[in-house]
Structure formats: structure tokens, C-alpha cells
Amino acid sequence: MRSLLLPLFAAALLGGCTSEFAFTDSVNSRFLERAPRADFGDELSTPYVLGASFTTYIEDREKATNFTGWTVRVTDPRVLSLRDPQPRWVDAHTLALDLVATGAGTTELLLLDPNGEVKGSASAEVRVPTRVLLFASAIAALEDEDFRGETPHPQLLAGGTASFVVQYLDDDLRLQGSTQLEVTTTPAIDAVIQHSRAADNRDIVQISASEAPGLEALELWVGGLQLQRVEVDVVGPEAVAAIDLIHRKGASSAESEGDWLVVAQAYDELREPVYGVGFGWDIEGRTFDQAGDVLVYAHDPERDSLKTVTAWAAGVEATMSVYALEAEVFTSNDDAFNCSVAGDRGAPWWALVVLLGLARRRRR
């Protein structure tokens, strides 16, 4: 839905011209830059989080304009600043503009023809985050709106590492984009921030615990403002009382094809999740060298492809049956997992893992 913040003067100038051009951005779809931008609708991923860097794309829907001599102007550069004063060409009918969300407020992007006449526009808003939510990366990979893995108080296995997706909010309004998040921790844990290389909407905080159990904490900051203090409970292996194997269909809606996921999740006696667990895996007698919390497999609906999958950790194991042709084990701490596609558009965010791992094994 287009923002209603369009200034009256721009609306008067534009009349019915705006629909000729699609305004989209890289927040959810940088990996798909060369796909037709009009396929992504006609909107920006606003409101943006303060500090977000992203690219706006402007595509001529009719493929009738080559944009020679055309320019783009930001009406309030205090809100969005240009990293390069001139737009660049993606192709003959698509311009790209690199922007930084530098201040809170609203602004307009105006598309001007060589005569300076406004031919298209899009509204954008920037907000300062007031808090964050954390979501366990492996659970987020399931892409289940009813089971998203929100984790306000992570419980982490001693000596383990776990990754959590960061979601920025202004009160209850979700903000879009990746920003310059900073983290500080108490001495017994360490944390680093990762940013997606394929979408501009994904920050990850990766937490590593020492071998000593105890209550620790981390603080998340943006622009000198503390957004959240998060307590982290570091526990020993005796805390692992159960394991669930959570099955999720992957990239394809066709039952006979596609790559699917199985996520292993450990719990304590109170059914509270324990993260940072390195699970061992076996599928029909084949034990994997890689320890991890995610099994990606090629689905095969044939009856003779039914295989038993087993995952284990800390003396506890769980099994389930899947129709699998090939399979590989990954950890949700892998760069390929945390730096691949995100958001509601395009392929699932873990799709690059399949391309980099399972597909490579098939070729061999």
C-alpha cells in the first residue's frame, strides 16, 4: 500500500502519471536486482529504521522510456541522503539510487524528465527505533507466522553459539532495513553483529557463551541510544531434557520437488528452548560429520525414499521419517544462512544454503 504522505504539490503535478513507474527498493530483494522491478509492486519498504542504507529502483512499466537525461530528487535530504548525486542504470528502463536514512521524518522521491517535469514519485518515512525483538535464526527459517521463535530471554548452552534475527520497532511499528547496530556484553559471553549481503533488511546478533554456566547480559545500541538489555542464561548440558524435530517444507509448493527443512530444537524440563546446541545427525544409517541444527533435504515423494532421521545432543535424541533423496546438515550460524535472502519477496532466506551446499553435493 502506497504511503499517503505525498505532498499536495507533487500530487497536483503528477496527476495519473505515477502508475507508469514502479518504485521499489533493495530492502527485501537486493538478491533479485535484475528481476523485473514491477513484479515487486509499486511501493517502498517504508518506514525505514534510522541509519538504513539501501537502493531504490525506478522502472518504466511500459519499457518506453530509456531515462536519458532524467534525474531523481529527494525533497528533504535531512531524511534521506544520496550516496551518489546521480542515479545509475540497472538496464535501459530501470534507474537505481543509493540512499541512507539519515534523519527522522518524511520525504518524497521525485522522478524528473529532462525538462524538469515530475513524472513519478514515492513517499518515504524514517523513524528512530525504540526497541528490538530477537528471533532464533533456525526457527525463523521455518517461516511460520504462528511459530517465529521470538526469544526475549535466550537460554544458551555453555560453550555454544547461537544466532538471532534482530527486528527493529518504534513502539509497536516494525521498521524496515538494516542499520549500524552495536552490542556490548558481560565478560562471560561474546556477541558480534552480522549484516545480510543479499537483502538490506537483516541484522543478526550471534552470541557465544563460555564454558561456565550463569546469568549474563548483552546490550544493543543504535546511534548512541540503548535499545535493549537482554539477559542470557548460560546452562550446562544437563539442562537439555528433550529435542523436537520440526518439519517445514522448503522452496517449492509442488509435492514432487523442492528442498525441505528439518530444524532440531532442544528444550529444558520446563519446555524452555535451549540454543547454541550442536546436534549430531543420522539419516538411514548415514552419520553426518557436520554438527548443526538444520537438515536441508531434497524431497522425493516415492515410497522407497522414506528415511528415518535422527538428531541427538547431550544424551537425548529424537527421530522422524522424511521422504528424502539427498540431505545435508547446516548450522544456523553459517554465513550462508544469516546472509542470504530475507523478507516476504522472492525465495526463502535459506535458499542460498541449498544452492551452495546441497546442490553442490548433487553435482558431485
Side-chain angles (χ1 to χ4, degrees), residues 42-312:
D42 185 17
E43 63 179 11
L44 300 179
S45 304
T46 187
Y48 299 105
V49 63
L50 182 69
S53 296
F54 59 96
T55 300
T56 293
Y57 303 95
I58 305 172
E59 182 184 33
D60 174 21
R61 295 178 183 274
E62 305 299 325
K63 308 297 184 184
T65 304
N66 66 12
F67 289 127
T68 300
W70 289 52
T71 57
V72 182
R73 183 165 66 87
V74 180
T75 59
D76 191 345
R78 296 170 300 178
V79 176
L80 290 179
S81 63
L82 298 173
R83 285 185 278 175
D84 189 325
Q86 296 300 322
R88 51 189 171 83
W89 292 53
V90 174
D91 56 42
H93 306 290
T94 307
L95 295 179
L97 197 67
D98 297 321
L99 297 162
V100 180
T102 49
T106 59
T107 189
E108 295 290 324
L109 301 180
L110 302 181
L111 176 65
L112 308 175
D113 69 10
N115 296 321
E117 183 178 350
V118 178
K119 294 296 186 180
S121 77
S123 300
E125 182 180 11
V126 176
R127 291 197 178 205
V128 179
T130 58
R131 63 190 183 100
V132 299
L133 298 178
L134 299 183
F135 297 86
S137 287
I139 301 302
L142 299 171
E143 297 181 326
D144 185 341
E145 286 299 315
D146 297 323
F147 184 53
R148 302 179 61 198
E150 184 179 345
T151 310
H153 182 120
Q155 189 171 212
L156 193 61
L157 185 67
T161 298
S163 294
F164 300 90
V165 182
V166 180
Q167 186 178 103
Y168 301 98
L169 297 101
D170 179 9
D171 292 330
D172 292 327
L173 179 64
R174 181 179 177 179
L175 306 182
Q176 302 292 327
S178 170
T179 190
Q180 295 303 309
L181 184 65
E182 298 178 346
V183 61
T184 60
T185 68
T186 51
I189 61 173
D190 186 34
V192 295
I193 304 299
Q194 294 183 342
H195 305 280
S196 173
R197 294 190 299 268
D200 289 325
N201 202 26
R202 192 173 185 84
D203 287 337
I204 300 288
V205 56
Q206 193 170 92
I207 310 170
S208 298
S210 71
E211 299 290 344
L215 185 62
E216 304 296 333
L218 61 86
E219 295 176 351
L220 297 172
W221 300 71
V222 169
L225 174 67
Q226 181 182 323
L227 297 181
Q228 205 94 359
R229 178 180 171 86
V230 180
E231 291 187 341
V232 179
D233 194 6
V234 180
V235 299
E238 68 280 356
V240 177
I243 296 171
D244 281 358
L245 296 183
I246 310 166
H247 195 205
R248 169 68 177 174
K249 186 173 179 178
S252 173
S253 60
E255 185 173 307
S256 60
E257 60 185 28
D259 295 290
W260 295 29
L261 301 182
V262 177
V263 172
Q265 178 62 63
Y267 296 91
D268 65 13
E269 291 184 347
L270 300 177
R271 291 293 295 178
E272 294 294 329
V274 180
Y275 299 107
V277 178
F279 297 90
W281 292 83
D282 178 277
I283 181 166
E284 206 67 21
R286 177 198 167 195
T287 300
F288 293 89
D289 295 332
Q290 166 84 356
D293 51 356
V294 179
L295 179 82
V296 180
Y297 72 91
H299 175 68
D300 184 352
E302 298 299 324
R303 183 178 300 273
D304 59 4
S305 70
L306 184 64
K307 295 179 174 63
T308 299
V309 172
T310 303
W312 64 89

Side-chain angles (χ1 to χ4, degrees), residues 31 137-138 141 163 165 194-199 202 204 206 261 290 293-294 296 328-342 347-358 360:
F31 178 66
S137 287
S163 294
V165 182
Q194 294 183 342
H195 305 280
S196 173
R197 294 190 299 268
R202 192 173 185 84
I204 300 288
Q206 193 170 92
L261 301 182
Q290 166 84 356
D293 51 356
V294 179
V296 180
E328 287 290 348
V329 172
F330 296 92
T331 167
S332 56
N333 298 316
D334 286 341
D335 286 346
F337 255 84
N338 291 327
C339 296
S340 53
V341 180
W349 65 264
W350 47 266
L352 286 185
V353 176
V354 175
L355 295 175
L356 296 173
L358 186 55
R360 183 180 298 138

